[in-house]
Amino acid sequence: MDPVIIVGAGPVGLALSLALAAQDVPSVVLDEGPGKEEPRPARTVVLRADMAALLERLGCTTLRDEGVRWVGWRSLRRKQQTRHVPLDLGLPGDAGAADGTEGPPAPLHIPQHALARGLRDAIARHPLITLVPDSRVDTVEQDAHGVGAHTRGPDGTWWRGSHLVGCDGARSTVRKLLGVRFPGRTAVERHAVAALRTELPWPGEALLHRQPPWRGAGEEITARPLPDGVWRIDWLLPPRGDLVTPDALVTRIRDTLAGWCEGSTPPYDLIDTGVYTVHHRLARRWRVDRVFLAGDAAHLLGAVGTQGLDEGLRDVDNLSWKLARAWHHRDASPVLLDSYQSERRAAVAARLRAADQSLPALRGGGGLRTYLPGSGRGHDALLTEGHLGRGPLGAPPAYPHSPLAPPPSEGRIPVGTPDGTPAEDVRVTAPDGTTVRLRDRLGQGRSLVVLVAPGTGVWDRRHWMSAGVMPRLAEAVDALPAPAELLVTEGYPGAPAHAVLLVRPDGHLAAAFAGVRPEELHAAADALRGGSPDVQETSTDSDRTADVN
């Protein structure tokens, strides 16, 4: 069967090729560039813990070497500290926090070029991925059996694929060739950015400083640590201010460092600078038959704590297992692939609405008085939550109204994780006796069935595999209509003993049941594959999803 064509070799396109290869799906990545990354230390990305874990599963080795997880988050307003949040430094696959602290999972901060290089190194080790540099797509054609893409360049040629995914950025050629509109707002915010090596009073901690007391500081400054004593510092600029000249930026740097270091500017080494403009846009459609959009080609966001690349990787996590299932099973239900647009577009639209509604209050102009009481402390808390991956501006996406949601049934029970949200990363044991974190078993295109069985940790596996409900549950899992892995956990938040959880291949909780219920479990697993192959295609007209403009 033809490979999947991926247009664009940024982090989203590279990660998608690796996620498909992990599920035995070949791909061709058409790279418009020369096949290497231009180092830009000031261009960095922030990844939530679950997306950092996804990249590590895909073989990206630069995360631990060239990225850093913050030890804490500090919020200042004028001259006072308003909040200090210790962060959990537990790394993917570790048992817990590295230093014993309790708090939100620490985000990972890494230069984008280092991340992309790590993904390229992983691709070089994988025989199922073909990376083609200097290949700019100028034509896309599709029929009932596949997609053709023509590239111009030194070796311009036609490529044939089963599907095509446009991961080619904000100016996406694929999106334009499809005629898909990209409405939204331009220049929502502007930030001056600098990467510099220096010593600040908060080693390893990220910082949000609102309304700094020194002249010319602006409304908001963010500092985020990187390895080797490097910091990325962002200054929020007036929306229609003057151009940021080198002299003006150096003045900002010196005044900011002096303001944080008791009036004296410490020595610093300026490594890189830039101006970052935030746009809010959302493509009208994310799927046109066999062609999909992902990452910046589908959405642009970045204000008040939201992270564009993090959302792009969530597109990868959502789409890869669905594409893989459709690739391996030609009679897969069309509902399965339709669900990518309905789930992801709705989630990103909700994030954009939350940012757009919050900006007037957060940037000093009224609005949202019923949601935000009007206190600066409440605004600071909302921003902090967004930066740390929580609250309306930063929480992981939920798909409660997904077309893949299992049908209601008598045995369904609520647990600490609402249906459609990411499952807790609890420690689990596989039938072969391997004990790992739940996230470590994701990424192979199969669902997870998790039995909550307190006390099994002290039993010999030979005994508990043949005791109680395990034989009946194992038989039910073997009879499911799609591949699934049976796991056991000592406990899960809010779940009673003998509860059975069904987790989607992308880690979202599909359903929880009170005990072993083979028929209900089978129906839920069938819903995850879009129902039977003869299910009629349903409309996913994106006009039904609210726009952000």
Side-chain angles (χ1 to χ4, degrees):
M1 190 171 174
D2 293 328
V4 173
I5 299 173
I6 299 172
V7 180
V12 172
L14 298 174
L16 178 59
S17 70
L18 288 165
L20 291 173
Q23 300 171 67
D24 298 320
V25 177
S27 63
V28 172
V29 183
L30 302 179
D31 184 359
E32 181 180 342
K36 59 182 180 180
E37 304 300 322
E38 180 80 21
R40 285 296 311 273
R43 189 179 185 186
T44 65
V45 297
V46 177
L47 303 173
R48 313 303 187 216
D50 56 345
M51 290 299 98
L54 166 67
L55 293 176
E56 289 213 335
R57 289 197 304 271
L58 297 179
C60 183
T61 59
T62 55
L63 297 186
R64 298 196 185 209
D65 298 335
E66 300 185 55
V68 65
R69 285 176 168 82
W70 310 327
V71 299
W73 177 273
R74 195 177 295 266
S75 295
L76 305 177
R77 186 176 178 85
R78 298 187 179 92
K79 296 182 179 181
Q80 295 185 340
Q81 177 174 299
T82 60
R83 201 170 192 190
H84 181 233
V85 182
L87 300 177
D88 185 339
L89 292 178
L91 301 177
D94 291 346
D99 62 352
T101 61
E102 293 184 2
L108 182 134
H109 190 203
I110 185 171
Q112 183 165 317
H113 68 266
L115 171 60
R117 176 165 32 84
L119 293 170
R120 287 181 182 273
D121 290 345
I123 285 174
R125 300 189 295 266
H126 216 298
L128 286 178
I129 305 172
T130 302
L131 187 57
V132 188
D134 300 314
S135 297
R136 179 177 177 84
V137 171
D138 57 15
T139 305
V140 172
E141 297 179 354
Q142 57 181 316
D143 53 42
H145 305 289
V147 183
H150 183 266
T151 57
R152 65 188 184 193
D155 299 313
T157 188
W158 278 98
W159 301 87
R160 182 69 177 176
S162 63
H163 301 82
L164 184 147
V165 186
C167 305
D168 49 341
R171 295 180 175 87
S172 171
T173 299
V174 172
R175 188 185 64 241
K176 293 173 183 175
L177 290 173
L178 295 175
V180 174
R181 293 183 57 206
F182 198 37
R185 297 203 294 142
T186 300
V188 175
E189 291 185 345
R190 293 192 311 144
H191 297 258
V193 182
L196 52 90
R197 184 176 286 107
T198 190
E199 290 188 13
L200 293 180
W202 315 281
E205 293 189 342
L207 171 75
L208 171 69
H209 196 163
R210 303 193 71 211
Q211 299 180 0
W214 53 91
R215 181 181 298 178
E219 284 295 311
E220 183 178 304
I221 307 174
T222 307
R224 302 177 178 92
L226 287 162
D228 302 323
V230 175
W231 293 80
R232 169 174 166 162
I233 303 180
D234 293 47
W235 293 265
L236 178 64
L237 299 172
R240 294 179 178 82
D242 297 331
L243 293 176
V244 181
T245 65
D247 289 344
L249 183 55
V250 168
T251 299
R252 282 181 181 270
I253 292 172
R254 295 181 61 85
D255 290 348
T256 297
L257 296 182
W260 288 341
C261 299
E262 299 182 351
S264 176
T265 301
Y268 69 91
D269 179 17
L270 183 58
I271 301 171
D272 190 21
T273 63
V275 174
Y276 172 51
T277 302
V278 175
H279 308 289
H280 283 179
R281 293 190 177 276
L282 187 65
R284 290 279 191 182
R285 301 180 67 183
W286 291 28
R287 179 193 180 191
V288 179
D289 299 324
R290 290 178 173 269
V291 181
F292 300 81
L293 300 175
D296 286 353
H299 50 76
L300 292 177
L301 67 166
V304 291
T306 57
Q307 306 297 332
L309 180 56
D310 190 270
E311 290 292 344
L313 293 174
R314 295 186 190 280
D315 297 344
V316 170
D317 208 19
N318 187 288
L319 179 60
S320 58
W321 67 274
K322 299 170 182 178
L323 267 182
R325 192 162 293 182
W327 192 90
H328 286 293
H329 306 280
R330 296 190 183 188
D331 61 347
S333 166
V335 175
L336 179 66
L337 292 181
D338 282 346
S339 69
Y340 166 66
Q341 173 176 299
S342 59
E343 290 178 348
R344 289 298 302 144
R345 190 177 188 278
V348 174
R351 180 95 73 212
L352 286 170
R353 281 194 299 271
D356 283 345
Q357 291 169 1
S358 302
L359 283 174
L362 294 173
R363 302 313 186 206
L368 277 190
R369 293 308 182 187
T370 58
Y371 178 68
L372 298 171
S375 70
R377 187 176 296 272
H379 299 175
D380 294 344
L382 181 66
L383 279 171
T384 295
E385 294 290 295
H387 281 287
L388 296 180
R390 302 188 297 184
L393 301 180
Y399 312 129
H401 306 299
S402 167
L404 306 183
S409 62
E410 182 181 355
R412 295 276 292 276
I413 59 172
V415 295
T417 303
D419 292 349
T421 59
E424 293 289 336
D425 190 27
V426 296
R427 185 165 290 280
V428 295
T429 301
D432 63 2
T434 304
T435 300
V436 293
R437 308 297 296 192
L438 185 143
R439 284 184 192 146
D440 294 333
R441 310 305 286 191
L442 300 173
Q444 301 177 52
R446 61 192 178 198
S447 300
L448 306 178
V449 177
V450 184
L451 172 67
V452 180
T456 50
V458 298
W459 289 18
D460 188 290
R461 174 180 165 272
R462 292 174 299 173
H463 299 304
W464 61 256
M465 277 299 296
S466 59
V469 301
M470 278 299 291
R472 185 165 175 244
L473 181 56
E475 183 179 355
V477 171
D478 288 340
L480 292 180
E485 181 180 20
L486 176 58
L487 303 169
V488 179
T489 183
E490 285 264 1
Y492 189 92
H498 303 145
V500 175
L501 314 179
L502 177 63
V503 180
R504 295 171 22 147
D506 57 4
H508 287 247
L509 180 67
F513 302 94
V516 180
R517 296 174 175 260
E519 292 184 1
E520 296 181 28
L521 183 62
H522 188 284
D526 187 56
L528 285 186
R529 63 180 187 137
S532 301
D534 59 352
V535 170
Q536 295 297 313
E537 184 167 5
T538 57
S539 171
T540 57
D541 187 347
S542 59
D543 289 340
R544 285 195 256 166
T545 303
D547 293 321
V548 298
N549 58 325

